[in-house]
Every structure is written in structure tokens, then in C-alpha cells.
Amino acid sequence: MQKLTNRSVQVDRSPMTMGEKMYLPAIAKGLGITLSHIFKKKATVNYPEEKRPFSPVFRGLHILNRDEEGREKCTACGLCALACPAEAITMEAAERKPGEEHLYREEKYAAKYEINMLRCIFCGYCEEACPKDAVYLTETLMPASYQRKEFIYKKEDLLIPHPKKTETK
Amino acid sequence: MMLLQLDVAFIIEKLILITVILMGSLGIAMYATWGERKVAAVMQDRRGPSRAGPFGLLQPLADGLKLFMKEEIIPDSSTRGLFILGPCLAMLTALLTSAVIPWGPDYVTEAGRIISLQVADINIGILFIFGVLSIGVYGIMLGGWASNNKFSLLSSIRAAAQAISYELAMGLSLIAVIMMTGTLSLREIVDQQHGFWSDGYFTWNFFKQPVGFMVFLICTFAELNRAPFDLAEAESELNMGFHQEYSSMKLGFYLFAEYINLFVSSVILSTLFFGGYNFPFMDQVQGAVPQFVFVAVCVLVLLTKAICFILFFMFVRWTLPRFRYDQLMKLGWKSLIPIALINMVVTGLVILWTMKK
């Protein structure tokens, strides 16, 4: 019969020799293998104390950006929600009133901005779609929770801290 | 008349000794569970318990607490009395064996009083150990049978058959040692292995009976129900084996008895074949240091030997796969018993030949 690959090996079915029947040399060999593993590097990482570095393209929790003066960059265009394949993002737009220029950079802003983290697949399309550099994916892992509602992140959860207010603190 | 000779000091002395030995073997058994997990981890490139206390040293306490807190379940269909008796018997026999082991040389006080570091120096120490070991399997059998669970029953049948088969070879390999030493008393056997070297040859029985030691060692693995002979609790075939229906501290007793047995068997192995508390140059050490230091060193030497054996048992457990049942029986009946018999005959011939000279 023609062989399909050259990887197959004929099994040796010859009866065991006296030395092999004693098993002791084979046992000693096995013990040697386990003994050598004592000195090998441990595969375990002591997780909370010691973390493995993320890859440079890692995508974690979202943030909503502010500009240098602490104004929200998001203009509620809805492109992120449109780009989202999991339909995790919902938003409501509102018009900036006079006197609110220090709060929002654009004339239109997101009054409500929610990401459902149970739907999100962390693809990063929202980040790519955003024309205002407002939404970014960080290297933070999503924390666990007991309740579904805790996974719907509001605008307050997503916005980064105000640069000036943190300085004064 | 013996009873009249007992004085209060003697009873107190023995009571203290019993308490120390009991607590000591319980403590060592506790830390053997920790050690087993560490050894397993190290051999599989893991870290093992490291969270409870430094190096995970409080892990045994946490495990014990967990077992105490668990709900106690006694199955309806079980035979209640025997179900409770099983783990008690396992624990009792595990602890009973340590009574005849000489833990160190006699300590002579200044008043000339001899304090023996052996709970009971009975002249049939080896027979006592074998008797108690054979009762030990009843703990497993009762537990498995009283559970009224077919897996437990199968497992206890396996354990009983295994224990009977391997006790034969174990006894035969020991007969050669007894023929050589000419005594059944453990104290005398240890005394004959004094030091390390005398009259141009090693004094330890291991060097006089290497084949007997190998057979005895393999049989000890089988008696302890440890891998590669852990057919009684073969997880993949019998779920958990004879203690499947047990919960809470009854399960704890079974698991704990196993580790106490491990410790006691290691001590017996070092006593019978590796000179017990004897160590090289012990006469020089005895002359150089105060007596209580010497006794303490002797006890530590015995414990070190025992711990080395425990580590070896663990080392083997995490290396070798389990035997198949027919292979187990074949090894016991067709290999170990003939080897032990031949060893016995050869020993007898050598003794006769030396006696003739």
C-alpha cells in the first residue's frame, strides 16, 4: 500500500528484553525527567502582584477624551454607533448653549453616551470611526460585576478626568 | 507483678511521649499535604500553594478549617454504624503504628533513670506493625462497603485484594532481614545497625539486603495505596474510590490517615533498612556533645531520613502512571513474591555458610 505521508512509523512489537521487563531503568529515566523539571522556569505568573505586558495592539475599556482645556471632544455625530458591529453604543445629542463653551468643544455634544460592555466585542471600530479623536480603547481590563446594569457604562464612567481639576486637587 | 512496678513518673513520662509523638505525626502529616502540593507543582513547572501565609505555609490549616465547616452527609442507604467506623478505624490504625518505633537512643538522667524514646518496647515490634497495617485495610473496606455505592464497593474490593497480595511479598522480604538480625524487636534491629561502618562493612541493613529493600519499598507503595498503585482511588475509573460518599471531617480523616501512614511507613523504612536514628561517626559525636544534644540529633536524623522517604514517595507519585489491575496482580504474584523468596533462600544460605566458618 502506498504511504500518504512519510511521517508514519512502524510500531515495534518485538517482545521485551529482560532489561526492559524489569522496568527499573525506564522508571529511573522517568524520575530523571521529573527531577529536571524542578529546575525549570515556572510557567505561572503571580497575577495581581505581577502582570504580563499587553501586546501593543491590545484593546480594553473605552474612554472618552477631553482636549487640553478639559472640554469634551465628542460631538455626538453617531459614527461610532454606526460603525459598531455589536450595536453596543447609544447616544443622545444636544446643542451647546451659550456659556457652555468651557464644557464642550463642538457646538453639538453628547448629552447621553452609553456603551453596553456586555455587547461590546472590543473590535476598536469606534476608535477608527471617530472623526474627533474622542473615543479611545485603553489597556484596562473590564472589571467583573454581579449585576447587568453595572456593565452599561455611562458618560461619567467613560470620560477621562478633567486635566485642570485634577491639577488643582 | 508488672503493674506494681509502674510508678507515677513512668506513666507521666510515657504520657508526654505519646502526646509528643501524636502531635508530631499529625503535624508532619498536615505539612505532608502541603509538601505534596508543592512537589507536584514544582515538577509540573507551577508554583503550588503560595497565598495562605509565607510560601503557602498556612494552607493545611485553611484546608482543615474548610473540611470542618463542610456539611456532614451520611447517605440514607448506608449502614450507619459501619459508615462511621470506617474513617475512625483508618485513623486509629494509622496512629497506632508509631507506638513501637524507637525514635531515639535512651536518655539516662543523672539519677541513673533511663528514659526510653519508644512508647512500647515490645519484643515483636515488627509483627505488631504488620498486624496493625493489616487492620488498616479494614478501614477502607468498611468505608467502601457501608457506603452502599457500587464504585466505593469496587474500590474497596480492589484495595483489599491489593493489600493482601502485597503484604505477602512484604512479609517475605522482611523475613530475610529478620533472619539476619535474629530478632523481631525494632529496638534491637536499630541497635545492630549502630553507626555506619564496622568490621569492614556497612552496618545498615540496606547494604546487606538491597533486593529485600527494593521489594519492601515497592510493597510499601502498594500498602499506602499511593501512585502508581492507587487503584483504590483511581479517579478516572472509580470517581473517588472508597471515600466517594464521605464528606466533611470523615473524608478528612481518610485523607489525613493516608498521610500519617505515609509518614509512619517512611519511619519504618528508615528504621528497618537505613539505620533508624544511627548516623555515621555517631560515637565521636556522642563523646563531644552533652547527652540531650546527642539524643536530639539522633531524633532529627531519623526525621530527616523519614522526610527524604516522604519526598521520594511524592516524587514517584508525580512521575509514574497508574498500573492496570492485571499488571498489578502480575507484578505482585509473579515478580515480587518469587524475588522475595529467592532473596530469602540466598540469605539463608549465606547465613549457614558464614556460621560454618
Side-chain angles (χ1 to χ4, degrees), chain B residues 130-144:
Chain B
F130 267 73
V132 173
L133 271 182
S134 334
I135 298 174
V137 83
Y138 280 86
I140 294 174
M141 274 170 69
L142 284 182

Side-chain angles (χ1 to χ4, degrees), chain A residues 20-78:
Chain A
E20 282 172 335
K21 267 187 191 165
M22 275 174 71
Y23 289 117
L24 289 179
I27 288 174
K29 205 171 134 194
L31 290 175
I33 290 173
T34 36
L35 200 64
S36 72
H37 272 269
I38 293 176
F39 308 105
K40 284 210 174 136
K41 196 176 159 281
K42 306 272 174 283
T44 320
V45 175
N46 276 335
Y47 168 63
E49 292 98 50
E50 171 188 339
K51 285 175 182 156
R52 277 201 291 194
F54 285 128
S55 89
V57 293
F58 182 85
R59 298 186 293 264
L61 277 186
H62 310 67
I63 51 157
L64 278 177
N65 236 346
R66 296 175 192 268
D67 66 1
E68 308 80 56
E69 290 152 44
R71 299 180 296 183
E72 289 171 21
K73 279 181 167 181
C74 178
T75 185
C77 62

Side-chain angles (χ1 to χ4, degrees), chain B residues 232-301:
Chain B
E233 40 192 295
E235 298 93 347
S236 46
E237 302 150 33
L238 296 170
N239 263 326
M240 264 174 83
F242 56 87
H243 48 58
Q244 189 178 19
E245 297 287 349
Y246 283 89
S247 57
S248 186
M249 214 45 210
K250 289 206 193 68
L251 173 67
F253 261 35
Y254 268 130
L255 302 180
F256 217 63
E258 194 178 309
Y259 282 96
I260 295 171
N261 270 329
L262 178 67
F263 170 60
V264 172
S265 300
S266 304
V267 174
I268 291 171
L269 266 169
S270 15
T271 305
L272 286 176
F273 288 97
F274 279 83
Y277 51 77
N278 294 301
F279 54 95
F281 308 112
M282 66 187 296
D283 291 324
Q284 286 89 322
V285 174
Q286 190 171 18
V289 295
Q291 201 193 358
F292 70 91
V293 177
F294 175 68
V295 172
V297 168
C298 283
V299 174
L300 280 182
V301 164

Side-chain angles (χ1 to χ4, degrees), chain B residues 290-342:
Chain B
Q291 201 193 358
F292 70 91
V293 177
F294 175 68
V295 172
V297 168
C298 283
V299 174
L300 280 182
V301 164
L302 179 62
L303 287 181
T304 314
K305 285 174 185 171
I307 287 168
C308 287
F309 268 114
I310 291 177
L311 287 176
F312 179 71
F313 278 120
M314 291 172 180
F315 182 30
V316 169
R317 171 169 178 184
W318 295 103
T319 303
L320 298 182
R322 186 182 301 130
F323 275 87
R324 213 170 54 206
Y325 198 70
D326 62 319
Q327 290 170 336
L328 175 95
M329 284 298 158
K330 214 169 152 185
L331 178 74
W333 289 95
K334 286 190 176 171
S335 309
L336 290 181
I337 290 181
I339 289 173
L341 275 173
I342 292 168

Side-chain angles (χ1 to χ4, degrees), chain A residues 122-153:
Chain A
F122 299 97
C123 61
Y125 281 7
C126 46
E127 185 181 1
E128 277 178 35
C130 187
K132 299 287 181 189
D133 282 348
V135 64
Y136 275 101
L137 269 63
T138 58
E139 290 200 337
T140 321
L141 289 169
M142 185 173 66
S145 178
Y146 285 108
Q147 283 178 312
R148 267 167 183 274
K149 65 178 184 199
E150 314 241 316
F151 286 105
I152 298 170
Y153 281 54

